[in-house]
């Protein structure tokens, strides 16, 4: 996440990991990390991910979000 911070892109953790951080312990296995950025920063965040080797991998049923993959990690 330091890349986003270094680029001045505000972001928020949400989803399962956010729940675990709030709970103070890992409650289950996680397959991904969910982050949110302001709409105006989406293209800059996408550029950073791509530059770091992540490939845009959208799902057919996306609704307000998208996915990226690298080395078998989504």
């Amino acid at each position: 996440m330091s890349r986003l911070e270094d680029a001045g892109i505000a972001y928020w953790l949400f989803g399962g990991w956010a729940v675990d951080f709030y709970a103070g312990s890992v409650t289950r296995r996680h397959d991904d990390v969910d982050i949110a950025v302001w709409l105006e920063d989406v293209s800059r965040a996408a550029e950073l991910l791509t530059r770091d080797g992540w490939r845009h991998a959208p799902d057919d049923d996306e609704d307000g979000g998208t996915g990226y993959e690298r080395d078998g990690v989504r």
Side-chain angles (χ1 to χ4, degrees), residues 18-44:
V19 171
D20 284 359
F21 275 99
Y22 184 77
S25 65
V26 178
T27 60
R28 63 179 176 85
R29 184 179 178 279
H30 299 280
D31 295 325
D32 61 5
V33 175
D34 302 305
I35 61 166
V37 299
W38 292 113
L39 184 58
E40 65 193 32
D41 292 326
V42 168
S43 62
R44 290 183 18 195

